[in-house]
Amino acid sequence: MDGRSRKEGRSTLKSLNAWQRKRRLKALEGVRKRRNLAREAELSLRRKPTEPFQDAGGSEAVMEEGGSQQATGSSGDNGGGLGIEVARADRPGFVRAKESCKRHASQLSVMEWLIDVPEDLHTHWFVMPRPEGPRCLVTSQGGSTISRFKNGRFHRKFQSALPNGSKASMTGSSKGSKCVLDAVFHAPSRTFYVTDCMVWEDYSLVDCDFEFRRFWLSQRLPGGPAGPAINGDCFGFGSSSGSCSSGDDANAVAFHVAATPVEKATRETLARAYSDAFAYEKDGLILIHKEALYIQGQQTPLCLQWKDAHCSRYPIDTDAEGNVLEKQSVVLQLAADGRSVCTGDDDPIALGALPLAFAQENAGSLRPGMLFRFNLGEGGLVLAPDGKPAGANLELVGMPKKRVAGDVVSRILFQYLTRTGQVTFQTLLAGFSSPSEPGDVDM
């Protein structure tokens, strides 16, 4: 970028920083409100055990809202170019399969991407090195363990030492209960690295803050950490993660369930998470606010992903062969007007529209929530004065095969900044967006 473009980019992204800060503050207010509502619900149940508590706007209402948001997206097959077979997405069997996938996918939270540095990063956040591999929903129940990809599709069924995760781990006290975990599957070591916990033996943790959920996991996963860790942390980078291994059947392929190392975010722990070698290949960092609840089916700016070429083999989106895409690819969902296409955020942002001829030709088959894949053409994103995307030069490519929701705006911006200049690791260490000019992002 030339000097003038660099200055304009800094100014726009400074506004983007302020926008993200407001979103984080609003999210924290929602966390505290939801926690209070959950407490009131529990107290009400204790006072009136014979009368079911009617939640007028508490955690269950939030969950249902998140589920409905997730359910707005549906996907068709990839037709390629403008010869897209939109009608195939209306087949009953196809629709039923997609709805089933979305039900499972809505149990996972929607992580955002770091496009500015939180001002309290070094005081209120945790950092974990993300293992390389697909994100999975892991459920143990009825004597077996099942994993599903983040889009809800079936991944594996296996035996594990999680409660009710195998015939051997079923006990009288836990029989019938289940565990639900958020994990990453690391194929080379056949290990599911747990990053978060939603349910443990039917005990829901979604309304507990991340600091507690992390402590809970450190105590529950069998074979707890043995090695020392910095700051006296028994679940940190200096320890060996607890592991649940499947070993009941000698002829079965063994899979392990282990805790992902996590530490409070400081300059030292950020540097170690970024540079140190772990038992797995890294795919960037995950940053989680200590007060963050687990919001199923919804996005939260209190859980962020970040990566660059040093700590990830794939900082920029690639094709199936691992080659970097020539143009940035985005998946957007069709709006109610039948032509505008929006991001997959809880509050969608319109970035453009389907080509008029294509929309007219397929008017009878198009429906709100359908997903379409686009490339960003020359000019890329158009950013408004407040830093949010206001539009984009979109080139229609097709319909994604496996997606159940559109890209959130932070992911689109992160990929855009990765190609044109992004928040660097040095700015993470500095604790604000630029060592010399707070609020700016190096371009």
Side-chain angles (χ1 to χ4, degrees), residues 86-160:
V86 177
R88 294 186 64 188
D90 286 326
R91 293 181 304 179
F94 188 92
V95 172
R96 285 196 300 270
K98 282 295 178 183
E99 291 302 320
S100 175
C101 287
K102 284 186 284 188
R103 283 196 300 272
H104 292 290
S106 65
Q107 295 186 55
L108 292 172
S109 66
V110 181
M111 291 187 182
E112 295 198 14
W113 288 81
L114 190 148
I115 52 178
D116 79 310
V117 181
E119 62 279 0
D120 57 351
L121 175 63
H122 296 151
T123 56
H124 291 79
W125 292 70
F126 286 86
V127 59
M128 67 177 74
R130 185 195 188 280
E132 184 180 286
R135 186 184 180 191
C136 293
L137 175 73
V138 177
T139 305
S140 65
Q141 187 177 27
S144 65
T145 306
I146 294 177
S147 62
R148 293 180 178 273
F149 293 112
K150 68 177 182 179
N151 63 4
R153 289 175 179 264
F154 177 81
H155 177 227
R156 295 183 184 278
K157 183 175 182 179
F158 58 99
Q159 299 280 291
S160 76

